[in-house]
């Protein structure tokens, strides 16, 4: 543990109530939590950990087990455990990870004794609000257990400054007084991390001219989109910068500003928001992936977004597609034996289309001497060569030291294993770099090129079955069905020239034929290996030919080729052995120590035994994807770290790792593309975090937290002013006696605790009873049942037909079924703009669907709510002058009976639904009188014998009774 972690723990222990800790990302939050758990003793009570992500759980448990040699380890409480088992765990005084849904239900059902809980540790405090379930849990526990401590943590300072006074509101909802800020520039933190810094080598790799051109074009298109956004005058202009557009949070900032007026925006403005996200990905993928993968991504964008995107029609967008294509291939014609359209300096391969059939289609308007030529450029990422040079330099340096007599084994040899760790953004990059080291960069690019060409063939083959149907004209012009094509092939042909497209397909077919020949040759070799396994080898070859795609290898065949190659002495087979032996390193990059040695040993043996790339030798390398959020440094303990894709969080982890191992010699290589958005994004992330901490420091100096901030005052603050107003309104009271407040309760379905509405109802003073309901979400009274739908859930329920069934069940068992449509407080209180509402009923319009639902169920009441607090007010008004719901009856509604029909029960078996539906369709029977008929008559046969005078009383009118009587007494027509 570093020293500033001890300082944080000391500050937290000074206040018995707890506090909120905000620290910079990557400063070892999981180690800090593990140290806090180490201080817990079972005699204090149980310690509950909330809102932990799966990666955080794994990291905390691993650090806890490494630092504490005890049998007591944190466990997890899930819904699979029965209630009595959970009760025994709560009383055991252990440390438990638990979800908020299980904990709040156990608190409301009183299964959890609040005195048995010593404290709560809350992770990801930046996601909390006053209506979150975590705040609900803290309020209930604090109301009955004043000695409870709450310690909240967050490592995302920029999320704590979003919105108005986010940090202050978080403190108030958790009933905390102290805010602890620990940025990277804090004195104790900087001293600990800069005392023994690692040796850093900053390498700026120049980008290729094509990459520079693509980056410039994307930035121009992004700037043009931002200018269009500024014209709307509905977004804060200060946030609309290219630098902010490099981060994912930019989408959240724009959507948060536009959500309240989203329904008033035009289609162009909505598409601009989506286009900015796409352009950010284009900038990120340019420096992350190779040229072929980048072109494939652009082709997918062209096919999917060409008819609705705004950025594709910008002036500079053509440069993006053109330069990305030039990085991979060039297309031209031979004019008198000379290639037209290709510079002489580029070393490329030429493929001439000699097929007679394809030449008629490709060479259109050309002479007999001319032919179409497809040139492979296959530009390699500049970082690949630099990475190989770094690995070779590391290996040469180690060999030089060993030959000169310098001992590599020093005093800290116990953990100086000489491993080189290469940190990449994702697993795809890790696997590609692994292949680049084992096979060579040129071969990797060739494989990617083959996959790209074969994907063209697969894409062309997809719409063939629907080709005849598409030819049938449906109208004139656009209605003909040809112009607004949605298929990937037609969208691609409309943008790429026909000659170029046919050339790509011809090259793909050539690769396909070559692959089939190779497979056939392998089959022949397998059949000649032995007479005993002759038939088996042939079957395997046939299966491989039909199942395995070209360019991909089956695991079994890879293992077999590995064993055969290791036993042979041929150089090519040895190279294959090296590739397959090291391939297991990427399949499981986060193996623990048991399998880690085997993987690293295999990789090391491959490099020591063979020299696959121009007789070069490399040290043992482990590739780590950064998007897995796993802390690999403490497991591998590398001596050299190559940061292939720079990331601020990983840089902080390296600093913590070096501070914990001051005697270990660590060398770090940073690979940046010079003058790229990669550098700009890395520096902007540091500036943004520092700015967030500066804002939090200013907020802390002006923060208004009451000294007597107590749970009892918070609970009574909403009820007390209302009672005083009520007393002033009533002028005459019997001796000024206060009315006894009646406790109201709401029965809530268990599944509804994923939302924040039960929390708000509890804040309003209602007693929340969690049960499992088969019908409805909220039971307000014996007569009122509410089905709550958010906007997203409403659209999904209409699409699946689930809402019709839910409303039908509510109308069957309750007299007043209610459909509550709840909007978000920060979004528009409207489905769509008034101009989008048509005059006629359409099957795809949400307003039309609601109208049809209301017509089909006349007793259904539709309630519109602007926010959660508005819903609580509506529930309070609906419960006025209503009896309290019965929990036992609400549970039985809609549940099939197992022991037969129970008297005075409300189960489904007590009603013959087919007979009820038949009754409601009889002449004169309406929604207002069919229940009276059901109460007076036990069956339809008994109804047929009721006289007209009795029917007049039951149906409320002579006309309705006569129409029913005439229908029942009508003669049945016969053929005799």
């Amino acid at each position: 543990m570093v020293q500033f972690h001890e300082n944080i723990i000391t500050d937290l222990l000074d206040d018995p109530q707890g506090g909120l800790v905000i620290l910079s990302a990557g400063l070892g939050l999981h180690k800090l939590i593990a140290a806090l758990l180490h201080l817990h003793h079972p005699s204090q009570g149980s310690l509950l950990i909330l809102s932990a992500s799966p990666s955080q759980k794994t990291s905390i448990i691993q650090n806890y087990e490494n630092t504490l040699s005890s049998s007591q380890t944190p466990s997890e409480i899930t819904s699979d455990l029965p209630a009595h088992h959970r009760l025994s765990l709560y009383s055991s005084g252990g440390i438990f990870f638990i979800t908020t849904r299980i904990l709040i239900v156990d608190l409301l059902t009183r299964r959890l004794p609040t005195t048995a809980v010593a404290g709560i540790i809350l992770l990801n405090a930046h996601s909390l609000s006053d209506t979150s379930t975590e705040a609900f849990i803290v309020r209930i526990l604090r109301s009955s257990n004043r000695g409870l401590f709450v310690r909240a943590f967050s490592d995302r300072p920029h999320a704590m400054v979003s919105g108005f006074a986010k940090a202050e509101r978080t403190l108030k909802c958790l009933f905390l007084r102290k805010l602890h800020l620990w940025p990277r520039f804090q004195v104790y933190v900087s001293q600990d991390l800069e005392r023994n810094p690692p040796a850093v080598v900053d390498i700026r790799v120049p980008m290729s001219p094509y990459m520079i051109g693509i980056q410039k074009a994307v930035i121009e298109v992004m700037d043009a989109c931002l200018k269009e956004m500024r014209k709307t005058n509905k977004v804060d202009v200060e946030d609309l910068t290219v630098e902010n557009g490099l981060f994912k949070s930019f989408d959240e900032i724009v959507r948060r500003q536009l959500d309240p007026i989203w329904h008033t925006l035009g289609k162009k403005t909505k598409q601009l928001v989506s286009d900015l996200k796409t352009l950010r990905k284009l900038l990120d993928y340019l420096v992350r992936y190779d040229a072929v993968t980048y072109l494939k991504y652009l082709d997918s964008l062209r096919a999917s977004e060409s008819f609705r995107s705004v950025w594709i029609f910008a002036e500079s967008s053509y440069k993006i597609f053109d330069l990305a294509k030039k990085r991979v291939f060039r297309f031209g014609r031979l004019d008198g034996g000379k290639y037209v359209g290709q510079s002489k300096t580029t070393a490329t391969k030429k493929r001439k289309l000699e097929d007679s059939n394809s030449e008629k289609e490709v060479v259109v308007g050309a002479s007999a001497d001319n032919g179409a030529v497809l040139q492979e450029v296959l530009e390699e990422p500049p970082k690949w060569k630099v990475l190989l040079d770094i690995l070779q330099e590391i290996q040469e340096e180690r060999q030089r030291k060993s030959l000169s007599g310098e001992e590599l084994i020093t005093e800290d040899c116990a953990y100086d294993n000489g491993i080189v760790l290469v940190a990449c953004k994702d697993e795809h990059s890790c696997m590609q770099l692994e292949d680049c080291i084992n096979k060579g960069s040129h071969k990797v690019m060739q494989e990617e090129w083959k996959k790209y060409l074969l994907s063209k063939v697969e894409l062309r083959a997809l719409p063939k079955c629907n080709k005849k149907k598409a030819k049938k004209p449906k109208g004139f012009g656009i209605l003909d069905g040809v112009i607004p094509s949605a298929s990937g092939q037609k969208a691609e042909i409309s943008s790429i020239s026909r000659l170029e497209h046919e050339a790509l397909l011809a090259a793909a077919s050539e690769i396909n034929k070559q692959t089939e020949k190779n497979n056939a040759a392998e089959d022949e070799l397998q059949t000649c290996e032995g007479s005993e396994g002759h038939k088996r080898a042939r079957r395997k070859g046939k299966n491989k030919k039909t199942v395995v795609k070209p360019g991909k290898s089956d695991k079994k065949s890879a293992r077999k080729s590995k064993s055969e190659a290791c036993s042979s002495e041929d150089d090519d087979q040895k190279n294959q052995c090296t590739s397959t032996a090291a391939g297991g390193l990427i399949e499981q990059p986060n193996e623990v120590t048991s399998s880690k040695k085997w993987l690293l040993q295999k990789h090391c043996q491959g490099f020591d035994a063979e020299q696959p790339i121009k007789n070069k030798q490399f040290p043992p390398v482990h590739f780590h994807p950064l998007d897995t959020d796993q802390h690999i440094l403490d497991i591998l303990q590398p001596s050299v770290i190559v940061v292939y894709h720079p990331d601020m969080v990983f840089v902080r982890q390296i600093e913590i790792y070096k501070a914990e191992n001051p005697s270990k010699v660590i060398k770090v290589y940073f690979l940046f593309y010079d003058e790229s958005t990669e550098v700009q994004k890395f520096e902007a992330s540091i500036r943004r975090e520092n700015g967030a901490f500066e804002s939090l420091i200013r907020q802390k100096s002006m923060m208004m937290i009451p000294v007597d901030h107590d749970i009892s005052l918070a609970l009574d603050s909403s009820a007390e002013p209302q009672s005083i107003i009520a007393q002033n309104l009533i002028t005459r009271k019997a001796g000024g006696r206060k009315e006894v407040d009646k406790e109201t309760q709401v029965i809530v379905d268990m599944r509804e605790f994923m939302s924040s509405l039960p929390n708000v109802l509890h804040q309003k003073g209602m007693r929340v009873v969690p049960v499992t309901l088969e019908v409805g979400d909220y039971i307000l009274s014996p007569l009122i049942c509410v089905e709550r739908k958010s906007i997203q859930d409403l659209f999904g329920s209409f699409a699946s037909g689930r809402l019709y069934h839910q409303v039908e069940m509510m109308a069957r068992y309750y007299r007043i079924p209610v459909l509550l449509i709840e909007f978000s407080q920060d979004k528009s209180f409207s489905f769509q703009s008034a101009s989008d509402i048509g005059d006629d009923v359409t099957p795809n319009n949400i307003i039309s669907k609601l109208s049809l639902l209301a017509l089909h169920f006349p007793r259904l009441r539709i309630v519109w709510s602007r926010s959660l607090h508005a819903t609580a007010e509506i529930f309070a008004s609906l419960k006025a002058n209503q009896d309290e719901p019965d929990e036992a009856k609400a549970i039985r509604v809609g549940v099939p009976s197992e022991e037969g029909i129970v008297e005075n029960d409300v189960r489904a078996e007590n009603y013959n639904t087919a007979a009820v539906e038949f009754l409601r369709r009889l002449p004169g029977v309406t929604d207002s009188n069919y229940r009276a008929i059901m109460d007076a008559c036990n069956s339809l046969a008994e109804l047929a014998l009721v006289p007209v005078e009795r029917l007049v009383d039951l149906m409320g009118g002579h006309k309705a009774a006569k129409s029913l009587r005439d229908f029942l007494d009508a003669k049945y027509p016969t053929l005799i």
Side-chain angles (χ1 to χ4, degrees):
M1 182 191 300
V2 290
Q3 184 64 37
F4 72 87
H5 281 176
E6 298 180 2
N7 297 334
I8 296 175
I9 294 175
T10 304
D11 292 346
L12 280 175
L13 296 179
D14 288 342
D15 190 356
Q17 296 296 319
L20 174 60
V21 179
I22 303 175
L23 73 163
S24 295
L27 291 185
L29 177 60
H30 61 289
K31 298 181 179 179
L32 178 63
I33 302 298
L36 277 175
L37 300 184
H38 181 39
L39 300 176
H40 176 72
H41 194 270
S43 61
Q44 301 173 353
S46 298
L47 181 59
L48 305 179
I49 306 176
L50 302 179
S51 304
S53 63
S55 61
Q56 288 175 333
K57 289 180 188 177
T58 305
S59 302
I60 291 172
I61 292 175
Q62 287 178 355
N63 280 273
Y64 183 83
E65 293 175 348
N66 293 335
T67 57
L68 181 64
S69 57
S70 174
S71 59
Q72 182 187 9
T73 57
S75 57
E76 186 174 1
I77 297 178
T78 61
S79 57
D80 298 334
L81 297 175
H84 66 278
H85 193 185
R86 294 203 301 267
L87 176 60
S88 62
L89 290 177
Y90 291 141
S91 306
S92 64
I95 304 172
F96 304 104
F97 290 96
I98 187 171
T99 60
T100 56
R101 180 182 172 186
I102 298 174
L103 183 56
I104 190 60
V105 170
D106 288 344
L107 283 173
L108 293 174
T109 54
R110 295 180 173 86
R111 294 172 186 160
L112 169 60
T114 56
T115 56
V117 181
I120 291 178
I121 292 180
L122 276 169
L123 301 179
N124 302 314
H126 52 270
S127 61
L128 300 184
S129 64
D130 54 350
T131 59
S132 60
T133 310
E134 291 84 356
F136 192 8
I137 291 170
V138 173
R139 185 169 66 251
I140 293 178
L141 287 174
R142 279 281 176 88
S143 62
S144 57
N145 187 1
R146 300 297 179 90
L148 180 84
F149 66 84
V150 178
R151 293 164 185 162
F153 299 88
S154 174
D155 57 353
R156 295 185 183 179
H158 58 274
M160 294 298 297
V161 295
S162 62
F164 177 73
K166 177 68 178 293
E168 183 177 349
R169 289 187 285 110
T170 304
L171 287 173
K172 288 183 177 180
C173 72
L174 295 177
F175 303 97
L176 298 175
R177 296 190 183 95
K178 289 191 176 181
L179 175 64
H180 307 279
L181 301 177
W182 290 86
R184 171 62 178 82
F185 55 81
Q186 210 267 355
V187 178
Y188 295 133
V189 179
S190 59
Q191 287 178 355
D192 291 343
L193 299 184
E194 295 173 4
R195 187 175 294 115
N196 294 300
V200 178
V201 180
D202 190 354
I203 302 176
R204 300 299 174 105
V205 182
M207 293 194 299
S208 66
Y210 290 150
M211 294 178 67
I212 296 174
I214 293 174
Q215 177 179 278
K216 183 179 178 181
V218 174
I219 292 177
E220 289 177 359
V221 175
M222 182 180 289
D223 192 31
C225 292
L226 291 174
K227 287 180 181 178
E228 291 293 329
M229 289 284 293
R230 294 189 191 101
K231 293 179 182 179
T232 59
N233 296 326
K234 296 178 181 179
V235 188
D236 189 5
V237 180
E238 295 180 358
D239 295 332
L240 296 181
T241 61
V242 176
E243 183 175 299
N244 290 336
L246 301 177
F247 299 96
K248 290 182 179 179
S249 60
F250 179 77
D251 302 330
E252 301 174 2
I253 294 172
V254 175
R255 283 304 300 264
R256 187 170 60 247
Q257 296 183 27
L258 293 178
D259 273 340
I261 54 174
W262 188 257
H263 65 289
T264 63
L265 299 177
K267 293 182 179 180
K268 183 178 179 181
T269 306
K270 293 179 181 179
Q271 186 59 41
L272 283 173
V273 177
S274 176
D275 288 348
L276 289 173
K277 181 178 179 181
T278 303
L279 291 172
R280 186 187 67 246
K281 288 184 179 180
L282 285 177
L283 283 175
D284 187 21
Y285 292 169
L286 176 64
V287 296
R288 189 191 301 187
Y289 298 130
D290 60 278
V292 181
T293 305
Y294 192 74
L295 179 61
K296 190 184 299 183
Y297 178 68
L298 281 176
D299 288 346
S300 65
L301 288 180
R302 192 204 307 268
S304 61
E305 299 187 2
S306 58
F307 293 104
R308 60 176 185 269
S309 292
V310 179
W311 73 271
I312 286 184
F313 299 100
E315 185 178 355
S316 301
S317 63
Y318 171 76
K319 298 179 183 178
I320 302 174
F321 292 93
D322 185 54
L323 294 177
K325 197 188 306 176
K326 288 180 179 179
R327 293 179 67 197
V328 181
F329 67 90
R330 288 192 179 185
F331 177 77
R333 293 190 300 271
L334 287 176
D335 189 3
K338 295 182 179 181
Y339 178 71
V340 178
Q342 173 65 28
S343 61
K344 298 180 181 179
T345 57
T346 307
T348 57
K349 290 185 178 181
K350 298 182 179 180
R351 295 183 185 272
K352 185 175 181 180
L353 306 182
E354 299 176 352
D355 188 13
S356 59
N357 295 330
S358 61
E359 193 168 348
K360 292 180 181 179
E361 299 177 0
V362 174
V363 188
V364 180
S367 60
D369 296 331
N370 295 343
V373 176
L374 186 68
Q375 287 191 314
E376 298 177 1
V377 180
L378 301 183
E379 179 184 275
E380 300 175 4
K383 278 189 180 182
W384 285 10
K385 183 178 183 303
V386 177
L387 177 63
L388 296 177
D389 292 342
I390 290 174
L391 296 178
Q392 187 180 9
E393 177 187 343
I394 294 170
Q395 185 66 17
E396 289 177 354
E397 183 179 356
R398 291 179 178 177
Q399 290 178 355
R400 185 172 62 252
K401 286 183 178 181
S402 62
L403 293 175
S404 62
E406 298 181 13
E407 293 292 336
L408 290 176
I409 303 177
T410 58
E411 296 178 357
D412 55 343
C413 62
Y415 50 89
D416 189 7
N417 49 19
I419 295 177
V420 177
L421 177 66
V422 179
C424 303
K425 195 71 175 177
D426 52 13
E427 193 170 355
H428 175 79
S429 301
C430 292
M431 298 178 66
Q432 200 170 50
L433 290 176
E434 176 85 6
D435 294 337
C436 181
I437 293 175
N438 296 330
K439 304 176 183 179
S441 57
H442 181 70
K443 188 173 181 181
V444 172
M445 292 300 297
Q446 286 288 341
E447 291 179 354
E448 293 292 336
W449 171 242
K450 290 179 182 178
K451 292 178 185 177
Y452 175 75
L453 292 177
L454 293 175
S455 66
K456 293 285 184 182
V457 177
E458 294 175 359
L459 185 65
R460 188 183 189 185
L462 283 178
K464 280 185 177 179
C465 57
N466 297 328
K467 229 174 182 182
K468 294 181 179 179
K469 296 181 181 179
K471 285 183 177 180
K472 296 180 180 179
K474 299 179 181 179
F476 297 96
I478 294 179
L479 297 179
D480 192 14
V482 178
I483 296 177
S485 173
S487 64
Q489 179 202 4
K490 293 182 180 179
E492 191 176 31
I493 294 177
S494 63
S495 56
I496 303 177
S497 64
R498 185 178 179 183
L499 294 175
E500 180 180 309
H501 185 72
E502 293 296 336
L504 289 172
L505 292 178
S509 63
E510 181 183 346
I511 293 175
N512 233 348
K513 293 177 182 178
Q514 186 65 31
T515 306
E516 291 178 359
K517 291 181 180 178
N518 294 337
N519 291 338
E522 290 179 3
D523 293 342
E524 292 179 1
L525 288 175
Q526 289 178 357
T527 54
C528 297
E529 284 183 356
S531 58
E532 187 175 348
H534 177 72
K535 295 182 180 180
R536 296 178 183 176
R538 175 176 290 181
R539 291 172 185 172
K540 288 182 180 179
K542 290 181 179 180
N543 292 334
K544 181 178 179 182
K545 184 176 180 180
T546 55
V547 176
V548 179
K549 294 182 180 180
K552 297 182 180 180
S553 59
D554 190 65
K555 293 183 178 179
K556 294 183 179 179
S557 61
R559 292 173 185 170
K560 183 175 180 180
S561 62
K562 170 185 170 182
S563 59
E564 292 175 355
C566 290
S567 61
S568 175
E569 296 180 357
D570 191 5
D571 292 340
D572 296 334
Q573 293 177 345
K574 287 181 180 179
N575 293 340
Q576 187 180 2
C577 173
T578 306
S579 174
T580 53
L585 193 61
I586 291 301
E587 293 179 3
Q588 298 175 346
N590 302 308
E591 284 285 319
V592 291
T593 55
S594 61
S595 59
K596 178 189 68 177
K597 294 182 179 179
W598 179 84
L599 293 174
L600 293 174
Q601 184 179 5
K602 286 286 185 181
H603 191 82
C604 182
Q605 285 179 354
F607 280 121
D608 292 339
E610 306 297 334
Q611 300 175 7
I613 307 174
K614 299 180 182 179
N615 297 325
K616 293 181 180 179
Q617 291 186 356
F618 298 105
V621 183
H622 188 98
F623 294 89
H624 171 62
L626 295 175
D627 56 3
T628 56
D629 294 332
Q630 295 190 2
H631 305 276
I632 200 69
L633 295 175
D634 295 328
I635 299 175
L636 290 180
Q637 296 185 352
S639 57
V640 179
I641 302 172
V642 180
V643 186
Y644 189 83
H645 293 136
D647 183 72
M648 182 189 67
V649 178
F650 188 67
V651 172
R652 302 274 172 78
Q653 293 176 5
I654 296 174
E655 291 180 327
I656 295 291
Y657 170 62
K658 183 64 176 72
E660 292 177 343
N661 303 277
S663 60
K664 186 177 180 64
V665 179
I666 300 174
K667 194 170 185 179
V668 182
Y669 293 88
F670 284 97
L671 298 183
F672 287 98
Y673 278 118
D674 194 18
E675 297 181 356
S676 66
T677 55
E678 186 180 40
V679 181
Q680 186 179 0
K681 184 178 180 180
F682 180 78
E683 295 174 350
S685 62
I686 298 176
R687 289 195 301 268
R688 186 175 65 154
E689 185 185 80
N690 294 339
F693 270 111
E694 291 173 1
S695 176
L696 287 172
I697 292 171
R698 289 193 298 268
Q699 290 182 26
K700 184 179 179 180
S701 63
M702 299 180 293
M703 198 172 290
M704 299 179 64
I705 301 293
V707 179
D708 56 347
H709 186 51
D710 199 2
I711 181 67
S712 59
L713 296 176
L715 289 176
D716 298 338
S717 60
S718 60
E720 191 63 27
Q722 295 179 3
S723 60
I724 294 173
I725 295 173
Q727 290 177 16
N728 293 333
L729 290 176
I730 302 175
T731 57
R732 297 185 65 183
K733 279 192 173 184
R737 186 174 59 192
K738 226 177 164 181
E739 291 183 358
V740 178
D741 293 336
K742 182 181 178 182
E743 183 184 14
T744 60
Q745 70 176 12
V746 178
I747 299 176
V748 184
D749 186 31
M750 293 279 195
R751 295 174 286 269
E752 279 298 305
F753 283 92
M754 300 295 291
S755 67
S756 300
L757 184 56
N759 181 13
V760 178
L761 294 176
H762 186 268
Q763 286 180 348
K764 294 294 181 181
M766 299 183 187
R767 178 172 172 260
V768 178
V769 181
V771 296
T772 301
L773 297 177
E774 292 293 330
V775 179
D777 293 331
Y778 296 86
I779 308 300
L780 305 183
S781 73
L783 305 178
I784 303 176
C785 176
V786 179
E787 181 71 30
R788 173 185 166 274
K789 294 291 181 186
S790 62
I791 302 302
Q792 184 178 2
D793 192 17
L794 181 68
F795 280 84
S797 299
F798 268 124
S800 63
R802 188 175 69 253
L803 182 59
Y804 179 87
H805 175 71
Q806 291 170 340
V807 174
E808 184 182 20
M809 295 292 287
M810 286 195 301
R812 181 182 301 175
Y813 295 110
Y814 290 94
R815 198 167 281 182
I816 308 176
V818 177
L819 174 62
L820 172 68
I821 301 175
E822 188 177 84
F823 290 78
S824 298
Q825 188 172 2
D826 55 347
K827 294 186 179 181
S828 60
F829 189 45
S830 173
F831 281 125
Q832 54 196 118
S833 59
S835 59
D836 295 336
I837 301 177
D839 299 333
D840 198 2
V841 175
T842 57
N844 296 325
N845 193 354
I846 187 66
I847 302 297
S848 300
K849 293 179 180 180
L850 281 173
S851 303
L852 294 174
L853 187 68
L855 289 173
H856 193 78
F857 299 99
R859 290 189 297 109
L860 178 66
R861 303 292 181 260
I862 301 178
V863 178
W864 307 80
S865 175
R866 183 181 291 273
S867 63
L868 295 170
H869 297 279
T871 303
E873 296 292 341
I874 292 171
F875 279 9
S877 61
L878 289 176
K879 285 181 65 64
N881 302 322
Q882 292 282 340
D883 296 333
E884 294 300 324
D886 188 356
E887 180 182 348
K889 289 185 178 180
I891 295 175
R892 293 198 305 267
V893 170
V895 179
S897 173
E898 296 179 359
E899 300 177 357
I901 298 175
V902 181
E903 189 177 357
N904 297 326
D905 197 358
V906 290
R907 299 191 182 192
E909 282 75 7
N910 289 354
Y911 295 96
N912 187 346
T913 56
V916 172
E917 293 297 327
F918 180 78
L919 172 65
R920 294 181 62 181
R921 284 165 174 76
L922 292 178
V925 180
T926 62
D927 290 327
S928 59
N929 58 21
Y930 84 96
R931 287 184 178 272
I933 299 175
M934 289 173 58
D935 294 337
C937 304
N938 294 325
S939 63
L940 291 174
E942 186 175 339
L943 174 64
L945 302 177
V946 176
V948 180
E949 295 79 7
R950 178 60 175 160
L951 288 177
V952 172
D953 298 335
L954 294 177
M955 303 181 69
H958 183 75
K959 183 177 180 181
K962 187 177 184 302
S963 62
L964 178 60
R965 188 75 265 171
D966 291 344
F967 175 79
L968 295 175
D969 294 341
K971 293 183 179 181
Y972 184 81
T974 60
L975 298 176
I976 300 176

